[in-house]
Amino acid sequence: ESELLTVERELDLFRNLNAKLSSVPKWLSPKKSKTKQSATVCTILSDTHFDEVVKPEEMNDVNAYNREIGVKRLNRYFEKTVVLTRDYLAGLDYDGIVLFLGGDIFSGDIHDELTVTNEDTMLGSVLFWSERLASGISMLAEEFGKVHVPCVVGNHARRTSKPRHKLRARDNFDWFLAHQLALLLKSDNRVTFQIPES
């Protein structure tokens, strides 16, 4: 009975792994190219802490951050991803781009002071930034033809003051943002998402 339980656990592990692997698009599988060297662009967008407000006068005038700066940085991120591959890594045949959304996209409300000083409420932040991120992802689709977006959650966008294990992803605004982006881009066949529950 003990061996049977062990085999069942291993089978469950294999099934879960197989389900996760099946959500990766087939175009990401390596293939031989007879013309140019082929490549897949990989880039990560993480720890942007959007809508946190850092006032220079509170930081000895050495730092500042707000929504306006965040918008400029996000625009520059998407533009430079295209410029880098087009101008500095030219001559490659790109089969697509993988944009990893690495969590902590929002400043969040995990500290009392952030609730008071953030640019907007969490729901307002998701609404504002999801449109801008969707536009950037569409720009990548125009440039590279295919975009795959694996997403994970960070700790800043969680809804609880202490980290949790059960429903960790579902109770996090990074997870919600990923689903919002998937909804905004659902009619674009060039874009796929991988949004785990863990």
Side-chain angles (χ1 to χ4, degrees), residues 1-32:
E1 286 181 0
S2 174
E3 288 177 354
L4 184 58
L5 284 173
T6 302
V7 169
E8 285 177 352
R9 272 184 287 212
E10 289 173 352
L11 184 60
D12 284 342
L13 180 66
F14 175 75
R15 284 181 180 147
N16 289 338
L17 180 61
N18 193 36
K20 287 181 183 178
L21 291 175
S22 66
S23 63
V24 177
K26 289 184 180 183
W27 64 265
L28 283 172
S29 299
K31 52 195 148 303
K32 290 184 180 180

Side-chain angles (χ1 to χ4, degrees), residues 107-116 156 158:
S107 173
D109 292 333
I110 60 172
H111 305 298
D112 291 338
E113 67 186 51
L114 294 173
T115 305
V116 175
H156 278 265
R158 68 180 189 257

Side-chain angles (χ1 to χ4, degrees), residues 137-138 141 145-149 185-186 188-193:
I137 292 169
S138 292
K146 296 180 190 117
V147 184
H148 183 58
V149 189
L185 296 164
K186 70 180 178 184
D188 192 338
N189 295 335
R190 303 169 299 175
V191 182
T192 55
F193 285 83

